[in-house]
Structures are given as structure tokens and as C-alpha cells.
Amino acid sequence: MGTLAAAQPLLIGLLLLWSSYGKFADPQQADRTALPRLVGDSRAKPVYQAVAVVEALIALALLLPPSWAIEAFAAVALSAGFTGFLVYSKVVVPEASCGCAGKSAKPVGNRAIARALLLLATAGLATTASTGWWSAGAGVLVLVVEAVAFAMLSAELDRYWLLPLRRFRIRLSHPYAGTASDDTPLVATQRRVLLSPAYRAVDGLLRSDIHDYWDDEDWRFVSYAARYDGRRATAVFAVPHQDSTPAAIRVAVVDEEGLTLYRPTMLATTG
């Protein structure tokens, strides 16, 4: 257990550097999170960047010698803050994205909260370490399993492994041939999308029928090929399972990197 605990700062440090880099690279992500609601529109971006600075400082403290317990306790406090913020986002601003580590238009879901809790658990384990990660020996090998778990919980990485798997499945079976996890046929979801204000808002941008779909907790996501300002893009519709009203459906047009190009903010409820 001692070597396992000692190895945790290496993984935590790398994750925090990744998260910090994502915030520095695209500070506009702050507008898509719950920060504007929590701290105000004018302060959202500065707070977002301040969190990135804190993440980077804690990451460097964890990765570089010497090894102090205070670094791990700081990571625990940061992870607890992440968890609380994501729970707040899911409850108070359910359409807000995580803004954690990369470009993702998905609303905060259980995967993001589970990732924050996993980070909190690893940080808690790191507080029991008595040596630095560079002395962990074989304990570092366990980090591979933990890193895979973090990757599977990271919506920002879905385009690298999960979406290719889904596209491969679609090649083997037409999407209308099956149903998704909540037993709602895709054709029923398509009907709801076609009748929604969100669809009317982007209809002129669409260049295909449904080419991908997936369920994630309380939402079904349906994507169409699109073009925006002459660029190839993807229109992603978020269709709630529990709310059948057309106005509840949301849409975002994203580029190939997942950056949001267009998101209607006000959708009429009548045609």
C-alpha cells in the first residue's frame, strides 16, 4: 500500500497539468460552464484562469522534489472543490458543460462527477505516502489501470476511443436496427428532434441524416454532419429522456476538435 500511495502524486500531477493546459488554451470555455451563474459573467473567465494557475502550481509541487504532505492535502482540497462545483452545475445549471480539461459540449453528468470523486480518492491516498513518486517502484505500474479509468470517465477523450467504437458499431448495424439503453427507438428520438425549435434553428446547416447517437445518463445525443461558415462541422442534439417537450431539446454545432461554433441561446417554442 505504501508504494501505491507514493505513486499517486505522479498521476494526479499529470492530470492537473492536463486540466490546467485545457483552461489556458481555451479560456472561453468558462462561458459554457456554470461559473457565469455562480460568480457572474464578468468574473467567470478570471476565476477559470485562476483555477488553472492553482492546478498548475499544485501539479508542479506534486511532480517535483521534495515530497511534502501539504501538496497532497492541497490536491484533496482542490478535488473536493471540483466535485462540489460539478454537483452544483448538474443541479442548478444542467445544460452547462464541465470545462474541466478540454473542449466538450456535453452537459455535466455522472461520469464527470465520478472522475472528480476518483481524483479525490487518489489524492486522499496520496496523503498517506511517506516517499516521493520517484521512489514508488512497482507501484507506478498500477497507475496504468487508474489512467485507463480516468480516460473512460473523461468525455473530452471520447473522440479518441469511444466515438470510433460507436462508428464501427454503426457500420455493422444500421442505427435504426436497435434501441438504446432506455428502450426508446431511435426513430422516436428523431421525430422529437425534427419537431423541436433546436432543429429549426440549425436546419440550414445540416448536411446529413443521423450518423451517430448515444445515451449518457439522462440524455440521448444525436449527431448530424453540418457545415458552418464553410467549415465541416457536427450538429449535436441533446434530447432529455425525462422531458418530452420540444423546447427541452438543445443543440450545439461543433468543429472537428469539439469546439463549439454555434449554440442557439434562445429557442422559440412555437413554429
Side-chain angles (χ1 to χ4, degrees), residues 111 151-154 157-166:
R111 287 173 67 197
M152 294 180 68
L153 293 172
S154 299
L157 299 178
D158 283 354
R159 65 181 181 271
Y160 297 113
W161 68 277
L162 185 57
L163 292 183
L165 284 178
R166 285 172 173 156

Side-chain angles (χ1 to χ4, degrees), residues 54 75 103 115 133 142 154 167 180 184 205 218 261:
V54 172
K103 301 181 182 74
R115 180 177 62 181
W133 64 265
V142 181
S154 299
R167 289 171 183 143
T184 301
L205 307 177
D218 297 330
L261 302 174

